[in-house]
Amino acid sequence: MEIYFQLVKDAEGVKNAYDELIAEEYLGFDTETTELDPYEGNIRLVQFSNGKNTFVIDLKPFADKGDLKTMPELAPLRALLCAPKPIKIAHNAKFDAKWICHHLGVDVNGVFDTLLASQLIAAGDQDRRHNLAEVANFFLGVELDKSEQVSDWSAEELSQSQIQYAAKDAAIMVALREKVVERLVQDGLIKAAKLEFDCVVPIAQMELNGFYLDAARWREQLEKVRKTQDKVAAELQRMLSAGVAQASLFGVTEINLDSQSQVTDALKNLGVPVPATTRGWQLEPLANDYPVVGKLLEYRGVAKAISSFGESLLEFIKPQTGRLHSDFRQIGAPTGRFSSSKPNIQQIPHEEAYRRCFRAPEGKKLVIADYSQIELRILADFSNDENFIKAFQTGADFHTITAAQVFNVKPEEVSAEQRSFAKRLNFGVVYGIGASRFALMTGLSQTQAEDTMRKYFGTYRGLDAWLRDAARRVVSDRISRTASGRMYRFRFEEGDRQAIGAAQRNGKNFPIQGTSADILKRALHLLHKEITGTSAKLVNIVHDEIILECDAAESEEICKILEKAMCDAGEEYVKKVPVKVDAHIADEWTK
DNA sequence: GTGAAGGGCCAC
DNA sequence: AAACGTGGCCCTTCAC
């Protein structure tokens, strides 16, 4: 494909590009940067294309003269970027939005992201790749040469080949969008796509904002855990080597406590009936009879704390900001949940000792809000179960109310054990829990577990019916959808019982977990509109929780805004039960 | 040495 | 018989 492009290097060229493009509906949009991290490099090129004509704007001559955020010569460029129309079509728009925000000081408004769209269309197919070359090939059947992608974009003079490459990446987006939209419409994914596109800028900003971690506090905590680990490791070592007394005569008893095979052998030597796997929940029931098992679990806990949440977390603090800037994948799971990495900020231990290290800097506050029981409320809404809905409408402690209903006693007569059974089932049903697992986790016998589950589903007939129907539909339709229309395609062979069983559990879980993700994404969009222009910054999200940082003086107001955005988003999807959001202002990331 | 797979554990 | 969903990261083991 020959493409027509012009290289823009001066104020007049920028103005001409603006004049020619501002009235368009859609523009292909791309940037080329000298690094992958906006805190470490510069934007070299910004490209726009209407499909016929492509403008490649070289920012180097401008950057040499002054501040890209304020210089009048770039005002038309900034205006084009933050105008909601034309829609900017980009592949992984978060990347470009971060650079534009950090270096040009404006939001990219009006985003169509072909990466997110491609992921939605793939509907959970893990084999599909979503880089631009693959996506262009899949939807347009063209081969893109990406070899210039990693070329030197800081050179004084860019080569013709580089400029051509840059122009082409933008030019192709207009045609790509058309094909992608066809598929989105065909698959009923337009609403889900809008939900995703509206999150791009908030997430870009969250990554730029980062989350403040008090490094000194973290090190203190780490020291404590290290001391514990040394002690626990020594005790475990001694307990395990009791089973290999002979070997100890030759001084070769040192067991690698991190080696699951060595530990399993040692446990067997001690006469412990080791289950097929030594995962915590399998081992848990043995801890009472075998102190060594309890010690092993204790050891694994502290070992995990040291390895995953130790020094390595501090290495992610960016010197330029003194904060953690995780990567967030917007469609991290097929359900639409986010995932986070480098570091994974969504798996910080819940214990206060860890969480208090994440705090508001001087003069700031954290505003923290999470949905209360959102997945169960979604299930109540989907299933239309009378008793389940009633349990939410009372507004009292949910697990106590369900226990009262299930065991047919007054709420004030519910025992701690009954509440615990109800709680575990309430959590378990959204995953498709079975009696065996329920028995294992509660210590009930198989028949007792079955009996309790019968009581539970007998109380919640509508819920049972919905879950069964979800499982049935997955087998017949081989797709599942969330409230926004987000889709998952199931692939299993006829008669593969294991795969079908897994699909059935997925069929129960996907709409619930996925709708929860829909709601959070909707909330992010509503929130973004409200906090723009305030001191509030998005700093973290954890599936059903949103954390902002803002000026202390403004925190009361921000707290109300956050709570309202989350409630409003929830109420768009959940109608039959109240949506409850717990919001509070804090100095540290604690409840 | 490097990378993938398996097992394990953290979050929701 | 039986297995409770979604992620990321760490360690060991094993093959190359």
Side-chain angles (χ1 to χ4, degrees):
Chain A
M1 180 176 82
E2 262 322 292
I3 56 156
Y4 178 71
F5 67 88
Q6 47 201 102
L7 185 60
V8 174
K9 298 177 117 168
D10 55 27
E12 196 192 345
V14 172
K15 183 76 175 73
N16 287 343
Y18 175 88
D19 288 340
E20 183 164 338
L21 300 175
I22 190 65
E24 295 283 350
E25 282 290 302
Y26 298 98
L27 289 179
F29 166 52
D30 192 17
T31 59
E32 304 301 334
T33 63
T34 59
E35 301 285 338
L36 293 174
D37 182 342
Y39 284 104
E40 282 167 20
N42 296 307
I43 310 185
R44 180 57 190 264
L45 301 178
V46 179
Q47 308 100 274
F48 294 107
S49 175
N50 60 15
K52 298 177 222 74
N53 197 359
T54 300
F55 294 87
V56 179
I57 303 170
D58 189 348
L59 289 184
K60 191 161 196 302
F62 297 93
D64 291 343
K65 276 192 289 187
D67 185 3
L68 301 178
K69 289 178 182 164
T70 52
M71 67 171 56
E73 295 94 316
L74 288 181
L77 172 60
R78 294 190 300 264
L80 185 61
L81 286 163
C82 67
K85 279 276 170 63
I87 302 279
K88 272 68 75 176
I89 314 160
H91 195 76
N92 190 15
K94 179 187 78 175
F95 178 90
D96 307 287
K98 280 172 76 173
W99 285 87
I100 297 293
C101 184
H102 188 63
H103 292 272
L104 293 181
V106 293
D107 279 2
V108 179
N109 286 314
V111 165
F112 186 106
D113 191 329
T114 52
L115 168 68
L116 295 171
S118 175
Q119 288 173 324
L120 287 176
I121 291 163
D125 184 343
Q126 305 287 340
D127 297 338
R128 289 265 297 277
R129 301 271 74 92
H130 301 283
N131 59 63
L132 180 56
E134 297 269 351
V135 171
N137 187 278
F138 185 85
F139 288 96
L140 295 171
V142 302
E143 296 288 341
L144 279 186
D145 180 2
K146 298 295 289 183
S147 51
E148 293 285 6
Q149 185 170 37
V150 291
S151 64
D152 177 14
W153 292 100
S154 60
E156 193 64 34
E157 288 290 329
L158 297 176
S159 70
Q160 201 59 23
S161 162
Q162 282 178 299
I163 297 165
Q164 186 118 26
Y165 159 82
K168 185 157 185 181
D169 264 12
I172 200 172
M173 300 310 289
V174 176
L176 181 57
R177 181 198 150 273
E178 283 171 16
K179 289 288 178 195
V180 165
V181 165
E182 264 176 43
R183 273 300 297 272
L184 288 174
V185 170
Q186 202 178 313
D187 291 346
L189 290 168
I190 290 294
K191 188 177 176 187
K194 284 213 173 78
L195 201 55
E196 293 295 346
F197 299 163
D198 284 341
C199 281
V200 168
V201 168
I203 298 308
Q205 289 186 349
M206 179 169 69
E207 289 190 358
L208 286 174
N209 294 338
F211 197 12
Y212 179 59
L213 169 66
D214 187 328
R217 274 192 194 179
W218 189 257
R219 280 199 193 89
E220 273 172 41
Q221 166 63 9
L222 207 53
E223 270 318 300
K224 282 186 205 153
V225 182
R226 269 208 200 92
K227 284 197 182 108
T228 313
Q229 191 197 24
D230 290 347
K231 191 168 120 291
V232 174
E235 285 166 2
L236 180 60
Q237 191 71 247
R238 196 170 57 242
M239 290 166 93
L240 284 175
S241 53
V244 282
Q246 287 167 299
S248 73
L249 297 172
F250 307 97
V252 288
T253 56
E254 196 70 0
I255 291 167
N256 183 345
L257 301 176
D258 296 319
S259 162
Q260 103 97 355
S261 71
Q262 289 183 36
V263 169
T264 301
D265 286 348
L267 286 176
K268 280 181 180 159
N269 281 335
L270 289 168
V272 178
V274 184
T277 70
T278 63
R279 287 162 70 172
W281 61 271
Q282 289 256 0
L283 242 34
E284 200 90 41
L286 294 168
N288 271 343
D289 294 335
Y290 302 93
V292 64
V293 171
K295 192 57 71 178
L296 172 61
L297 294 175
E298 190 186 351
Y299 170 77
R300 284 188 179 160
V302 286
K304 173 74 177 175
I306 296 287
S307 63
S308 287
F309 310 115
E311 209 70 43
S312 56
L313 202 64
L314 297 173
E315 286 162 16
F316 286 108
I317 295 176
K318 191 173 286 300
Q320 292 92 329
T321 64
R323 299 164 69 104
L324 295 172
H325 300 261
S326 302
D327 292 340
F328 284 84
R329 280 186 60 202
Q330 206 174 306
I331 305 181
T335 56
R337 270 198 181 182
F338 286 91
S339 69
S340 134
S341 62
K342 294 184 286 178
N344 182 348
I345 204 82
Q346 300 189 136
Q347 60 161 173
I348 302 301
H350 204 91
E351 290 163 66
E352 196 178 333
Y354 295 94
R355 291 282 173 106
R356 64 183 282 278
C357 302
F358 294 83
R359 65 168 180 89
E362 291 305 311
K364 302 279 184 182
K365 290 281 182 188
L366 295 181
V367 179
I368 306 166
D370 66 339
Y371 286 105
S372 164
Q373 314 282 19
I374 189 64
E375 294 197 342
L376 290 176
R377 287 173 203 267
I378 291 165
L379 180 55
D381 199 74
F382 283 174
S383 69
N384 211 7
D385 184 287
E386 199 186 327
N387 284 333
F388 216 57
I389 289 172
K390 223 183 275 171
F392 276 119
Q393 283 168 344
T394 66
D397 178 75
F398 182 73
H399 302 306
T400 303
I401 300 299
T402 55
Q405 290 178 339
V406 169
F407 299 106
N408 199 21
V409 296
K410 290 184 182 146
E412 56 271 24
E413 287 166 359
V414 168
S415 70
E417 195 182 40
Q418 286 173 325
R419 184 181 180 278
S420 164
F421 289 158
K423 183 178 177 182
R424 286 164 190 267
L425 277 179
N426 281 336
F427 280 120
V429 285
V430 290
Y431 304 138
I433 195 175
S436 315
R437 182 67 188 264
F438 182 56
L440 198 63
M441 71 199 284
T442 53
L444 291 174
S445 71
Q446 180 75 17
T447 45
Q448 285 171 320
E450 283 168 8
D451 190 52
T452 308
M453 289 186 69
R454 247 196 307 278
K455 274 204 188 98
Y456 183 90
F457 285 116
T459 308
Y460 303 127
R461 303 297 263 257
L463 198 153
D464 190 31
W466 186 88
L467 289 168
R468 284 173 193 274
D469 195 50
R472 187 191 55 74
R473 279 199 315 267
V474 149
V475 179
S476 60
D477 304 352
R478 300 203 173 205
I479 67 157
S480 179
R481 283 186 192 272
T482 71
S484 76
R486 186 192 307 279
M487 180 172 61
Y488 188 83
R489 275 198 198 81
F490 293 88
R491 286 180 306 282
F492 49 82
E493 298 298 326
E494 211 68 50
D496 182 343
R497 298 203 57 152
Q498 217 181 347
I500 291 171
Q504 287 175 320
R505 288 191 298 277
N506 267 291
K508 296 172 187 175
N509 181 257
F510 179 85
I512 301 168
Q513 187 181 121
T515 301
S516 167
D518 290 345
I519 290 172
L520 189 91
K521 286 178 173 176
R522 182 66 182 154
L524 286 176
H525 172 61
L526 297 178
L527 177 69
H528 179 75
K529 292 197 292 191
E530 295 300 320
I531 63 172
T532 300
T534 72
S535 66
K537 289 180 183 340
L538 183 60
V539 294
N540 195 13
I541 47 179
V542 192
H543 308 309
D544 63 356
E545 178 181 13
I546 296 178
I547 304 171
L548 303 178
E549 183 185 294
C550 69
D551 288 347
E554 210 177 11
S555 59
E556 297 283 347
E557 188 190 333
I558 296 299
C559 190
K560 289 197 187 83
I561 290 174
L562 177 58
E563 187 176 358
K564 182 166 191 319
M566 290 174 73
C567 283
D568 287 353
E571 284 162 8
E572 287 181 25
Y573 289 92
V574 174
K575 311 272 190 198
K576 294 164 195 157
V577 293
V579 173
K580 188 161 170 263
V581 170
D582 297 320
H584 70 283
I585 300 162
D587 292 311
E588 297 157 353
W589 185 18
T590 48
K591 282 267 181 267

